[in-house]
């Protein structure tokens, strides 16, 4: 059977976890999202269902959905059918209260772990908030701000970059490590993944942007593999595999990307040119503020139950609609295929505001994707979708 026929036969399924692709050469594929559930799409619903922006999403062993909204200091819980269950935590400085939720995770024991940067602590809730314990977040006299927090076997991996005051004055000193593992009691075990493997730190814009929370997307299979995807996407994602008590890094080459991933722009450019403004970001580093118009970026990465990797890049041309795409890598790290990401709903596909807002926030054990997107009225919703992958 030739590769194309095999691909069509294997991928004629809605369950992406069953899509085991083996082909010698990457080819163009179709990636179609079939939405199963939407939270926040009814403006007349009670306030618990309405979202400003579903910033962090997790699921537990019962299928409950935990959502950290961008403007809240708590975590909302919905059941597997999208019905509101409860809210964990509230704004405040007392025990069990939260000020600035920077990281959130649900572990294998269904404990809700919340990292509060302002209160400088982790709060670990059990039984959906009925009880809790706390752990200091301060390390070496500084507060860390992990995003994300993910589970490994009997441990956790946290992504953050630490900045230290320069004793001689001037720009801060940056720790060049990105990933940090902790034991079950949140004592730090090891640090790995060099920042300059992922970003060109000689470029002033990338140097400044590399330390922000959204600079790198992170996913793991929960055991021995972690994948990083840089927001400013130059055609590579990075896989770290545990081998002989060490984390070994591989660069995985993705599909075609623009010749230039970004161009520096001025504040005047942003204010006067809407095409530049739509795809540009500003960031402040130790040596100033930098602005760039992004042509190629990532909107999320996920490891499937099969061990395959899904990456979701965006093309953001100057004078065309943004184009959400997807890339599929096999277990060996080879690119199997790439193509446009779309919904099975033509109305969504035809709405530029919806399509350019897509962010992949989580993948559960059944390989369902949880994505933030805007609806037709311009409000953010949380969508739960299956992904169909097929040959063209």
């Amino acid at each position: 059977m030739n590769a194309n026929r095999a691909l069509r036969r294997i991928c004629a399924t809605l369950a992406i976890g069953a899509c085991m692709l083996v082909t010698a050469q990457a080819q163009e594929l179709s990636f179609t999202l079939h939405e199963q559930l939407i939270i926040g799409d009814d403006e007349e619903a009670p306030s618990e269902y309405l979202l400003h922006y579903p910033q962090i999403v997790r699921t537990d062993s019962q299928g409950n959905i935990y959502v950290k909204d961008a403007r809240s200091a708590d975590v909302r819980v919905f059941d597997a059918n999208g019905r509101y269950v409860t809210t964990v935590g509230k704004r405040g400085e007392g025990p069990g209260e939260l000020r600035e939720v920077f990281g959130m995770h649900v572990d294998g024991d269904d404990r809700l772990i919340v990292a509060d940067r302002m209160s400088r602590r982790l709060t670990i809730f059990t039984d959906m908030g009925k009880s809790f314990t706390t752990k200091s977040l301060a390390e070496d006299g500084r507060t860390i701000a992990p995003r994300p927090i993910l589970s490994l076997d009997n441990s956790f991996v946290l992504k953050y970059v630490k900045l230290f005051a320069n004793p001689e004055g001037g720009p801060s000193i940056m720790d060049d490590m990105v990933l940090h593992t902790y034991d079950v009691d949140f004592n730090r075990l090891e640090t790995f993944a060099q920042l300059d493997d992922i970003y060109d730190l000689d470029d002033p814009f990338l140097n400044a942007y590399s330390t922000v929370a959204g600079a790198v997307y992170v996913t793991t299979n929960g055991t021995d593999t972690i994948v990083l995807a840089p927001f400013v996407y130059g055609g590579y994602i990075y896989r770290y595999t545990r081998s002989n008590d060490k984390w070994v890094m591989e660069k995985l080459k993705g599909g075609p990307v623009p010749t230039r991933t970004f161009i520096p722009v001025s504040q005047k450019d942003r204010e006067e040119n809407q095409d530049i403004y739509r795809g540009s970001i500003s960031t402040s580093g130790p040596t100033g503020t930098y602005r760039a118009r992004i042509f190629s970026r990532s909107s999320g990465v996920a490891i499937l139950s099969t061990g395959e990797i899904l990456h979701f890049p965006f093309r953001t041309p100057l004078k065309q609609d943004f184009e959400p795409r997807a890339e599929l890598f096999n277990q060996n790290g080879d690119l199997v295929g790439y193509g446009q990401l779309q919904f099975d709903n033509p109305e969504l596909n035809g709405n530029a505001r919806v399509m350019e807002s897509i962010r992949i926030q989580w993948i559960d054990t059944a390989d369902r994707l949880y994505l933030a997107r805007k609806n037709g009225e311009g409000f953010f919703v949380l969508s739960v979708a299956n992904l169909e992958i097929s040959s063209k």
Side-chain angles (χ1 to χ4, degrees):
M1 183 182 297
N2 66 38
N4 286 337
R5 287 177 59 199
L7 185 65
R8 284 194 293 271
R9 179 175 177 180
I10 294 170
C11 287
T13 174
L14 194 63
I16 53 178
C19 185
M20 296 293 293
L21 295 167
V22 179
T23 180
Q25 184 174 357
Q27 53 193 291
E28 196 161 356
L29 303 174
S30 293
F31 297 84
T32 305
L33 292 161
H34 296 259
E35 292 187 307
Q36 309 298 305
L37 175 67
I38 302 174
I39 299 173
D41 203 28
D42 181 3
E43 293 181 52
E44 304 300 321
S47 60
E48 291 84 0
Y49 290 87
L50 303 180
L51 303 169
H52 174 73
Y53 180 72
Q55 189 175 46
I56 311 174
V57 180
R58 294 290 188 270
T59 51
D60 68 15
S61 64
Q62 304 303 310
N64 294 308
I65 305 166
Y66 296 69
V67 181
K68 160 53 178 84
D69 194 52
R71 286 189 175 176
S72 69
D74 53 41
V75 177
R76 280 179 250 178
V77 185
F78 303 86
D79 69 16
N81 297 311
R83 291 186 293 262
Y84 173 74
V85 176
T86 189
T87 296
V88 180
K90 65 178 181 178
R91 190 176 298 277
E93 300 182 22
E97 296 177 339
L98 308 167
R99 296 177 64 191
E100 183 188 12
V101 177
F102 204 78
M104 183 267 285
H105 184 59
V106 179
D107 70 6
D109 295 322
D110 291 345
R111 300 186 306 167
L112 173 63
I113 301 159
V114 179
D116 188 332
R117 179 166 60 176
M118 293 294 289
S119 295
R120 302 168 62 91
R121 67 190 178 201
L122 289 164
T123 302
I124 304 167
F125 296 96
T126 55
D127 198 14
M128 290 192 182
K130 292 181 180 177
S131 59
F132 62 88
T133 58
T134 60
K135 172 80 174 181
S136 173
L137 256 178
E139 279 195 0
D140 303 324
R142 294 185 59 85
T143 303
I144 62 173
R147 185 186 296 169
I149 304 168
L150 296 168
S151 293
L152 294 171
D153 277 342
N154 300 314
S155 61
F156 299 94
V157 60
L158 282 62
K159 177 258 172 182
Y160 59 85
V161 176
K162 289 194 291 187
L163 297 176
F164 298 93
N166 190 330
E168 299 179 359
S172 301
I173 300 172
M174 182 171 65
D175 184 347
D176 64 351
M177 295 298 183
V178 180
L179 300 178
H180 311 262
T181 57
Y182 286 73
D183 65 19
V184 293
D185 296 318
F186 281 95
N187 301 303
R188 190 150 65 95
L189 299 173
E190 60 181 339
T191 297
F192 62 102
Q194 290 184 236
L195 192 59
D196 59 5
D197 286 338
I198 303 161
Y199 278 114
D200 177 8
L201 300 184
D202 291 330
D203 182 277
F205 165 70
L206 292 179
N207 190 314
Y209 188 70
S210 65
T211 62
V212 306
V216 180
Y217 289 95
V218 185
T219 189
T220 177
N221 66 353
T223 54
D224 60 358
T225 302
I226 300 168
V227 178
L228 307 184
F231 176 86
V232 183
Y233 177 55
Y236 290 92
I237 62 174
Y238 302 83
R239 181 170 67 179
Y240 293 81
T241 306
R242 188 74 171 170
S243 177
N244 297 323
D245 293 327
K246 294 183 179 180
W247 290 97
V248 179
M249 187 270 281
E250 307 164 83
K251 290 178 65 173
L252 308 184
K253 184 173 177 54
V257 295
T259 303
R260 301 185 69 179
T261 55
F262 70 94
I263 56 172
V265 297
S266 68
Q267 182 61 25
K268 183 178 180 181
D269 292 332
R270 283 168 49 89
E271 293 171 352
E272 295 181 352
N273 189 321
Q274 182 61 28
D275 289 324
I276 287 178
Y277 179 80
R278 284 177 66 216
S280 67
I281 55 177
S282 297
T283 187
S284 296
T287 57
T289 298
Y290 302 92
R291 302 170 183 87
R293 178 34 163 99
I294 309 299
F295 296 113
S296 176
R297 63 173 170 80
S298 174
S299 64
V301 64
I303 299 178
L304 304 178
S305 58
T306 60
E308 296 162 298
I309 300 168
L310 275 171
H311 177 234
F312 299 92
F314 254 75
R315 290 180 180 174
T316 59
L318 267 177
K319 296 186 179 295
Q320 302 174 32
D321 289 338
F322 291 2
E323 183 184 353
R325 297 175 65 80
E327 299 173 338
L328 182 67
F329 299 80
N330 64 21
Q331 295 160 328
N332 294 326
D334 303 314
L335 180 68
V336 172
Y338 54 87
Q340 187 171 353
L341 180 68
Q342 61 185 356
F343 292 92
D344 61 341
N345 183 341
E347 291 186 11
L348 296 180
N349 295 330
N351 190 319
R353 181 165 54 182
V354 171
M355 299 307 291
E356 69 182 60
S357 68
I358 297 170
R359 300 290 188 278
I360 309 302
Q361 306 293 55
W362 181 243
I363 185 170
D364 67 17
T365 56
D367 288 341
R368 286 181 293 262
L369 296 173
Y370 295 72
L371 54 133
R373 69 163 177 85
K374 287 184 177 179
N375 63 10
E377 287 70 44
F379 299 103
F380 272 101
V381 300
L382 176 64
S383 166
V384 184
N386 289 330
L387 182 64
E388 177 185 5
I389 305 173
S390 59
S391 61
K392 287 207 163 189

